[in-house]
């Protein structure tokens, strides 16, 4: 079924789901079993038609991600000590500094990677999670694509953390210049990890259930 | 192909109750929240105390960058730099380590450490790279914590973290002393001073000084400080000597000290010392400027006291024992006549009178009473023969009328005084010198010497003896005369030498006794000159005869030879010598005393 067909189908008629056909797919290896099978015959993983606790976990991880995102912005990300100066910069402070020094491109990259994407992910996941229970503007297909984008982009949010990690490892020049990660680096990494887990916890099949006839 | 019947899903119902359906994942956000809150609370609780320090200017102080250091350890950071309400000061808000807050009480001091280049070297070099920082100093006693402080414009010398002793130096002016000038002990810097400040009463300046440990152990109450600023040039027997201590003291001024007398009390923090102009003054102060209580007595002098002033030295047996502190004119009735007398108040140091260091003024007065019973009197004396400067001398006159210290209630004890006949001494002595200098003794001696030389030439010449036998007798006579003349001249010369010695003695002599002796021997010398002069006329007469006889002989041999010429010259010399001797003899004979008395 092409994407176009799906879209057309999604708008026009009820989808034919695996569950309605009495089938259940293994979440891990993708093998389709007859409904009622408890374990995958191929990989031995537990088979569930729908993950009942999915939404709970999404919300829990998301909340954790948001909570640790606050110190990630309040505390310094980098502690730079050079012969002349000692500096502690937060994420937003660093962006402003870069912007003031004229490095608009770098400022934009850091701002997008550290602020826009994480916050966008929070919003997207919250939107998806809400959309499972309620009627929202985007249809199921669009929401599924959004989900895939969130999953894909999640790992790239770590770019900030990698920069800090590499700088800290490289710049250890005794009293001349030292860069150390701040508390924010840890919380930011945790925040990214929690949002990734949150996105992973979302059972995308739930997105489609709203369009389905009640079982 | 029939449609397969969809399998019925196996549905497991969840356990009942909302608690059982809760996922354990909820622990994660709870934990994250707890940890975040914990971190936040910890940061907040460890956040230091905000204090405000007011500076006149905040050169180089930047928010979030400038540190507050205590013993060179960072204990806080500047959070904010703002102005006071009247824009008169810069208020620097500093977040100080919480553990140090209790120590920030009223004795805490703050100043900005900046790089400073001075004559003594460069300080605060580390701040060139790191930027300025605020240095704090406080003692280790927790007190009532304060949050508002006033910063010092310069680093204080005596901070509680520096071991040493703070002192206050009093000086007449702050001319040659700059802030930060070193205090040297035997040329080694052991401390420094702050900028001189005008004393509260406007009389002189006070200078806060600090002597570092362990050198402050050298300080006692007997320590004297003096100024070693600038260059001193002195001209003496050893030539010109140029003296300055160090380049720093040349430019900034400097202070040296020494403890010249042992046995002083240990100094306390903030003790006050006098700053003397130079080392001799500091040394002299040990004699007159004792901190011990002085015995104040009154001495009433008649007649002129020109030359007596406040600060005039009081001498006892030639040693300074005190000074005149006050001179007052008092009108008195004596036998119905109004007489103005001069009351001089003398301050005497008891320990200089021969008593111990701890002697009280009462003991000193009792001792003085005993001395007075033995004939001690106060009198005015010349400080030196050639100046009009006076000193008050406590001299003993064993033959004087009995007197005692008048000790009335409400008045100072009055010391009996003795007459001092100083009035004409200066004029007399000066006259003696002038007259001695005016005597034509030098010319006389010079012409007498020429005479002897010429006479010898004539006598020893071969021709004289060979060609003119008649002359021989005359020459023989002259020969006998010459030693006699020589002896006379020797005598005159000895007299002159003696007169010179007297003159020198008179010039150098300081005490009246010496002057009397000198005058006596001058009188002796005059007598000797007189005797010598008495011997002169016969010699002159004989010289005259000799000259006329020689002339007669020479005229007989009217030969214009070289010999005759020289003989004639000799004769002229002899005549001149005779004239000069005659003049001297006349002067002396007329009035030998004029040599001494000038009248």
């Amino acid at each position: 079924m092409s994407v176009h067909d799906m879209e057309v189908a999604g708008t026009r008629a009820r989808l034919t789901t695996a569950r309605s056909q009495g089938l259940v797919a293994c979440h891990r290896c993708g093998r389709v079993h007859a409904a009622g099978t408890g374990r995958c015959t191929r990989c031995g993983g537990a088979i569930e038609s729908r993950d009942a606790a999915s939404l709970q976990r999404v919300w829990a991880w998301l909340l954790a991600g948001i909570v640790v995102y606050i110190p990630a912005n309040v505390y310094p990300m980098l502690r730079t000590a050079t012969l002349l100066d000692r500096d502690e910069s937060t994420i937003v402070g660093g962006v402003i500094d870069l912007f003031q020094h004229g490095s608009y491109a770098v400022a934009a990259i850091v701002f997008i990677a550290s602020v826009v994407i994480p916050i966008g992910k929070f919003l997207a996941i919250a939107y998806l999670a809400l959309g499972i229970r309620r009627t929202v503007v985007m249809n199921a297909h669009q929401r599924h694509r959004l989900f895939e984008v969130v999953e894909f982009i999640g790992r790239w949010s770590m770019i900030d953390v990698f920069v800090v990690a590499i700088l800290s490892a490289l710049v250890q020049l005794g009293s001349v210049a030292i860069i150390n990660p701040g508390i924010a680096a840890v919380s930011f990494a945790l925040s990214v990890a929690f949002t990734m887990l949150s996105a992973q916890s979302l059972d995308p099949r739930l997105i489609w259930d709203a369009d389905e006839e009640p079982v | 192909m029939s449609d397969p019947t969809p399998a019925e899903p196996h549905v497991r119902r969840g356990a009942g109750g909302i608690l059982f359906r809760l996922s354990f994942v909820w622990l994660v956000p709870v934990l994250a929240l707890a940890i975040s809150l914990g971190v936040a609370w910890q940061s907040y609780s460890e956040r230091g105390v905000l204090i405000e320090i007011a500076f006149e200017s905040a050169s180089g102080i930047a928010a979030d960058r400038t540190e507050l250091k205590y013993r060179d350890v960072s204990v806080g950071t500047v959070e904010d730099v703002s102005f006071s309400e009247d824009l008169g000061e810069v208020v620097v808000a500093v977040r100080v380590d919480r553990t140090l807050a209790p120590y920030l009480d009223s004795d805490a001091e703050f100043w900005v450490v900046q790089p400073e280049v001075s004559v003594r070297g460069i300080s605060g070099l580390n701040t060139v790279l790191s930027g300025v920082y605020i240095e704090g100093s406080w003692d280790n006693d927790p007190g009532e914590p304060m949050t508002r402080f006033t910063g010092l414009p310069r680093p204080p010398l005596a901070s509680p973290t520096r071991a040493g002793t703070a002192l206050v130096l009093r000086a007449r002016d702050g001319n040659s002393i700059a802030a930060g000038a070193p205090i040297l002990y035997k040329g080694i810097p052991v401390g420094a001073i702050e900028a001189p400040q005008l004393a509260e009463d406007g009389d002189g300046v006070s200078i806060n000084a600090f002597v570092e440990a362990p050198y402050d152990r050298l300080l006692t109450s007997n320590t004297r400080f003096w100024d070693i600023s600038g260059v001193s040039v002195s001209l003496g027997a050893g030539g010109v000597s140029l003296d300055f201590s160090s380049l720093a003291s040349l430019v900034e001024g400097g202070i040296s000290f020494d403890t010249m007398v042992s046995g002083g009390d240990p100094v306390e923090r903030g003790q006050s010392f006098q700053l003397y102009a130079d080392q001799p003054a500091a040394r002299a102060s040990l004699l007159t400027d004792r901190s011990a209580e002085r015995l104040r007595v009154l001495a009433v002098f008649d007649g002129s006291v020109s030359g007596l002033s406040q600060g005039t030295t009081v001498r006892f047996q030639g040693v300074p024992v005190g000074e005149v502190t006050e001179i007052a004119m008092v009108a008195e009735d004596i036998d119905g006549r109004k007489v103005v007398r001069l009351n001089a108040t003398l301050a005497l140091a008891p320990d200089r009178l021969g008593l111990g260091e701890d002697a009280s003024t009462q003991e000193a007065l009792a001792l003085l009473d005993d001395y007075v019973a033995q004939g001690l009197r106060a009198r005015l004396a010349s400080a030196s023969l050639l100046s009009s400067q006076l000193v008050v001398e406590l001299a003993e006159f064993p033959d004087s009328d009995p007197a005692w210290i008048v000790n009335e209630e409400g008045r100072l004890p009055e010391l009996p005084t003795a007459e001092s006949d100083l009035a004409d001494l200066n004029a007399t002595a000066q006259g003696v010198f002038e007259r001695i200098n005016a005597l034509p003794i030098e010319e006389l001696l010079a012409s007498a010497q020429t005479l002897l030389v010429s006479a010898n030439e004539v006598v020893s010449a071969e021709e004289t003896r060979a060609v003119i036998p008649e002359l021989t007798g005359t020459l023989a006579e002259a020969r006998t005369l010459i030693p006699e003349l020589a002896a006379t001249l020797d005598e005159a010369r000895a007299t002159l030498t003696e007169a010179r010695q007297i003159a020198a003695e008179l010039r150098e002599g300081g005490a009246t006794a010496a002057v009397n002796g000198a005058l006596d021997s001058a009188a002796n010398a005059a007598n000797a000159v007189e005797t010598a002069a008495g011997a002169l006329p016969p010699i002159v007469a004989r010289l005259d005869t000799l000259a006329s006889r020689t002339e007669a002989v020479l005229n007989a041999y009217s030969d214009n030879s070289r010999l005759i010429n020289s003989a004639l010259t000799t004769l002229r010399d002899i005549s001149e010598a005779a004239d000069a001797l005659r003049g001297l003899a006349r002067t002396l004979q007329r009035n030998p005393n004029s040599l001494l008395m000038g009248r």
Side-chain angles (χ1 to χ4, degrees):
Chain A
M1 206 160 38
S2 77
V3 171
H4 181 72
D5 289 344
M6 265 184 78
E7 237 170 72
V8 174
T11 48
R12 282 205 191 142
R14 300 279 176 204
L15 286 172
T16 309
T17 62
R19 185 146 72 166
S20 65
Q21 298 300 313
L23 295 173
V24 62
C26 174
H27 198 63
R28 279 203 222 159
C29 65
R31 186 187 172 116
V32 180
H33 298 270
T37 315
R39 276 196 184 275
C40 177
T41 50
R42 182 157 61 191
C43 67
I47 294 175
E48 289 171 306
S49 180
R50 296 292 181 271
D51 186 354
S54 166
L55 219 49
Q56 259 191 56
R57 277 188 280 135
V58 170
W59 284 118
W61 287 122
L62 185 63
L63 201 63
I66 292 173
V67 164
V68 292
Y69 187 68
I70 295 169
N73 277 286
V74 173
Y75 283 96
M77 188 83 169
L78 275 182
R79 293 171 191 274
T80 317
T82 63
L83 205 57
L84 306 179
D85 209 357
R86 247 158 32 90
D87 205 11
E88 295 185 340
S89 53
T90 58
I91 292 169
V92 179
V95 170
I96 292 171
D97 275 355
L98 284 169
F99 192 79
Q100 278 173 345
H101 287 111
S103 313
Y104 303 114
V106 182
I109 289 174
V110 174
F111 186 68
I112 290 170
S114 310
V115 180
V116 176
I117 291 181
I119 291 178
K121 269 165 67 183
F122 296 142
L123 294 175
I125 292 169
Y127 181 76
L128 289 175
L130 281 173
I132 286 165
R133 291 282 164 85
R134 286 169 210 187
T135 318
V136 287
V137 180
M138 288 171 88
N139 64 34
H141 190 74
Q142 286 168 325
R143 280 184 277 146
H144 192 88
R145 288 186 75 180
L146 181 63
F147 171 73
E148 284 188 343
V149 168
V150 166
E151 272 233 294
F152 171 77
I153 221 164
R155 68 204 71 167
W156 289 101
S157 301
M158 278 295 194
I159 195 164
D160 247 29
V161 179
F162 289 145
V163 167
V164 172
I166 290 167
L167 279 179
S168 308
L170 285 180
V171 187
Q172 295 288 341
L173 306 177
S175 59
V176 180
I178 284 187
I179 294 181
N180 284 323
I183 300 175
V186 178
S187 4
F188 190 81
L190 279 175
S191 175
V192 171
F194 288 164
T195 24
M196 284 171 76
L197 284 171
S198 173
Q200 246 170 28
S201 307
L202 187 70
D203 189 345
R205 291 171 296 194
L206 291 170
I207 297 172
W208 301 96
D209 282 352
D211 283 354
E212 208 182 356
E213 287 171 49
V215 181
Chain B
M1 191 174 157
S2 65
D3 283 346
T5 315
E8 276 304 306
H10 174 72
V11 176
R12 274 185 289 133
R13 291 277 156 214
I18 196 162
L19 279 177
F20 287 94
R21 267 191 276 170
L22 271 181
S23 166
F24 72 93
V25 182
W26 281 108
L27 283 176
V28 177
V30 169
L31 212 62
L33 195 64
I35 290 172
S36 293
L37 287 177
V39 168
W41 186 82
Q42 195 188 5
S43 302
Y44 178 78
S45 66
E46 276 185 4
R47 205 165 69 131
V49 179
L50 196 66
I51 61 165
E52 287 185 338
I53 309 168
F55 287 103
E56 267 181 37
S57 74
S59 154
I61 296 179
D64 295 330
R65 188 153 305 173
T66 308
E67 290 177 331
L68 171 67
K69 290 189 176 183
Y70 174 65
R71 292 182 187 269
D72 280 342
V73 174
S74 177
V75 295
T77 314
V78 172
E79 281 208 343
D80 185 37
V81 180
S82 59
F83 290 104
S84 63
E85 277 176 20
D86 58 354
L87 303 183
E89 286 173 323
V90 180
V91 179
V92 178
V94 182
R95 184 74 65 185
V96 188
D97 203 44
R98 181 166 289 273
T99 52
L100 286 171
Y103 298 99
L104 297 178
D105 46 17
S106 54
D107 64 1
E109 292 171 323
F110 300 91
W111 64 94
V112 179
V113 177
Q114 285 169 320
E116 190 178 341
V117 181
S118 68
V119 195
R120 280 159 293 127
I122 302 170
S123 65
L125 197 60
N126 51 341
T127 61
V128 172
L129 293 179
S130 65
V132 303
Y133 60 87
I134 300 172
E135 176 89 45
S137 168
W138 46 83
D139 61 15
N140 46 12
D141 299 322
E144 183 76 21
M146 285 168 56
T147 55
R148 174 95 198 183
F149 299 92
T150 304
L152 305 172
R154 291 181 61 89
L157 281 172
S159 67
T161 53
R162 281 177 80 185
T165 305
L167 307 166
V168 178
L169 298 178
R170 283 175 286 105
R172 214 175 53 238
D173 56 47
N175 265 342
S176 52
I177 299 159
I183 295 177
L184 305 173
Y185 180 72
K186 298 192 191 296
I188 295 170
V190 297
I193 59 164
E194 282 178 8
Q197 294 166 324
L198 203 60
E200 275 174 23
D201 53 2
D203 183 26
V205 294
S206 70
I207 307 163
N208 287 331
F210 185 78
V211 178
E212 290 164 20
Y215 306 107
D216 57 345
R217 278 188 313 209
L218 299 166
L219 300 170
T220 70
S221 56
N222 282 341
T223 302
R224 290 292 179 273
F225 289 82
W226 67 89
D227 190 0
I228 51 165
S229 303
V231 191
S232 86
V233 182
S234 59
L235 181 65
V240 179
S241 100
L242 175 70
D243 199 14
F244 63 90
S245 280
S246 69
L247 192 63
S249 70
L250 184 64
V251 176
E252 287 191 318
I255 286 169
S256 188
F257 71 88
D258 201 357
T259 304
M260 296 160 180
V261 178
S262 59
D265 304 322
V267 293
E268 291 162 15
R269 194 180 181 80
Q271 188 157 338
S272 176
F273 285 94
Q274 182 75 36
L275 179 64
Y276 295 96
D278 49 23
Q279 190 174 10
R283 257 178 213 290
S285 72
L286 278 176
L287 302 178
T288 56
D289 190 50
R290 300 303 297 249
S291 48
E293 206 184 347
R294 315 272 204 92
L295 169 66
R296 297 176 71 223
V297 293
L298 209 60
V300 181
F301 297 107
D302 296 328
S304 164
V305 290
S306 116
L308 188 69
S309 61
Q310 264 184 32
T312 295
T313 316
V314 178
R315 285 186 185 162
F316 177 53
Q317 313 279 26
V319 178
V321 295
E323 61 181 11
V324 176
T325 55
E326 203 181 323
I327 300 170
M329 303 252 277
V330 180
E332 281 182 13
D333 272 333
I334 295 178
D335 304 333
R337 276 181 66 227
K338 292 275 184 195
V339 175
V340 171
R341 309 182 77 196
L342 282 138
N343 283 2
T345 308
L346 316 178
L348 308 176
D351 54 342
R352 304 297 304 177
L353 289 170
L355 294 166
E357 278 200 16
D358 303 327
S360 71
T361 54
Q362 290 306 317
E363 289 174 54
L365 190 60
L367 182 76
L368 215 53
D369 221 359
D370 293 343
Y371 280 138
V372 168
Q374 289 170 33
L376 182 105
R377 301 286 182 273
R379 69 163 186 184
L380 296 175
S382 229
S384 79
L385 194 63
L386 296 182
S387 79
S388 60
Q389 188 72 39
L390 296 183
V391 294
V392 176
E393 202 174 39
L394 303 181
E396 292 204 15
F397 299 92
D399 308 331
S400 57
D401 301 331
W404 48 90
I405 293 181
V406 183
N407 202 352
E408 287 172 22
E409 199 65 38
R411 283 191 68 190
L412 292 174
E414 189 185 326
L415 211 59
T417 54
E419 285 287 328
S420 48
D421 52 350
L422 297 160
D424 285 334
L425 180 66
N426 285 336
T428 315
Q430 227 156 348
V432 172
F433 296 142
E434 274 167 18
R435 268 166 205 90
I436 290 177
N437 280 341
L439 287 176
I441 292 172
E442 304 270 350
E443 293 162 37
L444 167 67
L445 284 178
S447 60
Q449 222 151 2
T450 333
L451 161 69
L452 286 177
V453 171
S454 312
N456 266 339
E457 263 177 27
V458 174
V459 169
S460 57
E462 285 293 326
E463 298 95 321
T464 315
R465 268 176 271 177
V467 180
I468 316 157
E470 244 182 280
L471 206 58
T472 317
T474 319
L475 288 178
E477 200 174 339
R479 222 175 260 148
T480 55
L481 179 61
I482 284 167
E484 206 172 329
L485 186 64
T488 313
L489 285 174
D490 277 349
E491 204 170 335
R493 203 178 285 160
T495 311
L496 188 67
T497 315
E498 204 172 337
R500 280 224 186 91
Q501 273 173 4
I502 295 158
E505 237 174 284
L506 282 170
R507 270 198 200 97
E508 285 165 10
T512 319
V515 173
N516 286 338
L519 289 175
D520 283 348
S521 41
N524 290 342
N527 291 337
V529 170
E530 206 177 350
T531 325
L536 280 175
I539 298 174
V540 171
R542 285 171 72 182
L543 275 175
D544 272 345
T545 3
L546 173 64
S548 53
R549 278 177 63 185
T550 314
E551 212 162 354
V553 171
L554 288 177
N555 281 339
Y557 294 86
S558 54
D559 182 359
N560 262 347
S561 67
R562 192 182 59 82
L563 167 71
I564 302 298
N565 272 341
S566 81
L568 279 177
T569 322
T570 310
L571 287 175
R572 238 184 329 273
D573 285 344
I574 289 174
S575 295
E576 277 174 22
D579 283 347
L581 276 175
R582 205 178 288 134
L584 172 64
R586 212 175 291 133
T587 313
L588 289 175
Q589 263 173 336
R590 201 178 297 141
N591 195 357
N593 282 343
S594 70
L595 190 66
L596 283 179
M597 302 314 291
R599 285 174 188 166

